[in-house]
Amino acid sequence: EVQLVESGGGLVQPGGSLRLSCAASGFTFSSYEMNWVRQAPGKGLEWVSYISSSGSTIYYADSVKGRFTISRDNAKNSLYLQMNSLRAEDTAVYYCASFDIWGQGTMVTVSS
Amino acid sequence: SYELTQPSSVSVSPGQTARITCSGDVLAKKYARWFQQKPGQAPVLVIYKDSERPSGIPERFSGSSSGTTVTLTISGAQVEDEADYYCYSAADNNRVFGGGTKLTVL
């Protein structure tokens, strides 16, 4: 079964850090460009970050640039998002997605 | 950066044709994707490359493009098509979703 499963979300204080993981299965992960997309409660989708299939090309939304780092390990079929200096406005469900395949999301709450 | 603009809501009766537009300068030179999202669920790709339909997506979903506007058309909308719909496009390091359109079918 083609699947993406996110993990690592939770409650964190402002200024704190979290590392999200996304485990891929059922398809050739190393051939796919990947993204992190987030959705704040009651709001629309927001693209966060992109990484090419090899990991050589990376892009970030202005809202997270300098604070978030995307990476992947094709040998482990895994995608990551290191999130530092978290703010209340980063509170959202975070999805990993190749766009034709989406995970179910992991909730990140930034609050004191 | 650039923006993609969608109407906030569209309403049709079952069996009618629903059209959702997405406008933005980038669409004149880059393809768009459309995603359907139902409450509490992850988004689902329904259209890519402006008008291509992934396998498993019903034929009533179609897409078109003209200039700086792309349109998602649902021919003979059904109650189960009620959802939020988002357009998306990417140009190098600029990647953005539209604000989303709530489609009501009743």
Side-chain angles (χ1 to χ4, degrees):
Chain A
E1 179 189 4
V2 173
Q3 197 171 223
L4 292 169
V5 179
E6 301 93 339
S7 60
L11 174 64
V12 62
Q13 292 187 339
S17 299
L18 275 179
R19 188 192 195 210
L20 305 184
S21 299
C22 173
S25 59
F27 65 101
T28 308
F29 177 73
S30 58
S31 298
Y32 281 73
E33 302 173 344
M34 296 296 297
N35 299 269
W36 286 98
V37 175
R38 68 185 181 185
Q39 187 169 36
K43 301 297 185 182
L45 300 176
E46 180 187 11
W47 170 77
V48 172
S49 185
Y50 159 92
I51 187 167
S52 62
S53 58
S54 68
S56 60
T57 301
I58 286 173
Y59 301 128
Y60 298 99
D62 288 343
S63 58
V64 307
K65 201 173 296 182
R67 300 187 299 123
F68 290 11
T69 302
I70 191 173
S71 62
R72 67 190 297 161
D73 186 336
N74 286 341
K76 294 183 178 180
N77 291 330
S78 293
L79 177 72
Y80 307 100
L81 186 68
Q82 176 67 43
M83 305 186 296
N84 298 330
S85 303
L86 283 162
R87 306 166 180 166
E89 54 265 36
D90 296 318
T91 294
V93 174
Y94 284 73
Y95 296 100
C96 69
S98 64
F99 286 158
D100 49 352
I101 309 166
W102 290 71
Q104 282 305 302
T106 186
M107 183 70 202
V108 172
T109 302
V110 184
S111 175
S112 55
Chain B
S1 62
Y2 56 84
E3 294 183 352
L4 297 177
T5 301
Q6 299 180 233
S8 58
S9 64
V10 169
S11 183
V12 298
S13 299
Q16 288 188 328
T17 295
R19 293 182 179 85
I20 300 172
T21 58
C22 173
S23 299
D25 290 342
V26 67
L27 298 176
K29 52 185 182 292
K30 295 294 183 180
Y31 288 124
R33 290 179 170 106
W34 287 96
F35 298 92
Q36 175 196 68
Q37 187 180 34
K38 297 181 178 180
Q41 297 184 18
V44 172
L45 179 69
V46 295
I47 294 289
Y48 66 99
K49 287 188 178 179
D50 291 347
S51 60
E52 298 293 320
R53 192 174 54 248
S55 61
I57 300 302
E59 291 184 7
R60 64 181 180 273
F61 288 86
S62 63
S64 61
S65 175
S66 178
T68 59
T69 299
V70 294
T71 301
L72 173 68
T73 300
I74 307 173
S75 303
Q78 301 183 6
V79 173
E80 59 262 35
D81 298 331
E82 188 164 291
D84 293 325
Y85 290 85
Y86 298 89
C87 59
Y88 167 90
S89 190
D92 297 324
N93 61 332
N94 288 307
R95 287 140 194 266
V96 68
F97 286 93
T101 298
K102 180 174 181 58
L103 175 66
T104 301
V105 182
L106 55 75

